[in-house]
Amino acid sequence: QLQLVESGGGLVQPGGSLRLSCTASGLTLDYYTIGWFRQVPGKEREGVSCIGSSDDTAYYEDSVKGRFTISRDKDKNTVYLQMNSLKAEDSAVYYCAADRSTTFAEALCLIARVAADGGFWGQGTQVTVSS
């Protein structure tokens, strides 16, 4: 079964850190551009950070630059999102996505959609930043 599974979400105080994991089964993430997206009720899903399949070039949305880091662990077939200095406005459901139709991280993040053929979404993990 082809699937992505996110983990690592939870409740954290402002200024704290979390590391989200996106682990794949049935597909090798090396061949995919991977993105982390977030969504809050009433708003569109937005691209937070993406990493390209060809050279691991990373893209970050402006509000997370300097605070979030995306990375791959090829041995574990997992992509991580390290989130530091968390703010209340970072609270959202975070989703990972894999897309083989593009090698460009920025494109995936800005479009915030994956190809119908060869694209996958995880089920999401809740991140709540609150004191």
Side-chain angles (χ1 to χ4, degrees):
Q1 184 177 2
L2 305 178
Q3 63 177 354
L4 300 174
V5 178
E6 301 98 332
S7 61
L11 173 64
V12 64
Q13 292 186 342
S17 298
L18 286 174
R19 188 178 75 162
L20 304 184
S21 300
C22 175
T23 302
S25 59
L27 64 155
T28 302
L29 292 184
D30 286 3
Y31 304 130
Y32 291 79
T33 293
I34 307 297
W36 284 99
F37 301 82
R38 64 189 179 188
Q39 190 168 24
V40 298
K43 291 190 176 181
E44 292 189 356
R45 182 170 51 210
E46 67 171 351
V48 174
S49 180
C50 296
I51 186 166
S53 59
S54 61
D55 59 3
D56 283 353
T57 298
Y59 167 87
Y60 297 95
E61 192 269 328
D62 285 347
S63 70
V64 307
K65 285 180 180 177
R67 300 189 297 124
F68 291 11
T69 304
I70 191 170
S71 62
R72 292 183 190 264
D73 185 328
K74 297 182 179 181
D75 291 338
K76 295 183 179 179
N77 204 25
T78 297
V79 172
Y80 300 102
L81 184 68
Q82 178 67 44
M83 305 188 296
N84 298 328
S85 303
L86 283 162
K87 305 175 182 179
E89 51 263 43
D90 294 319
S91 297
V93 178
Y94 283 71
Y95 300 89
C96 70
D99 194 329
R100 200 163 179 171
S101 70
T102 180
T103 62
F104 298 107
E106 183 173 357
L108 178 61
C109 264
L110 293 180
I111 294 173
R113 292 193 305 271
V114 300
D117 182 19
F120 303 90
W121 287 95
Q123 83 289 350
T125 186
Q126 177 70 48
V127 171
T128 302
V129 184
S130 175
S131 56

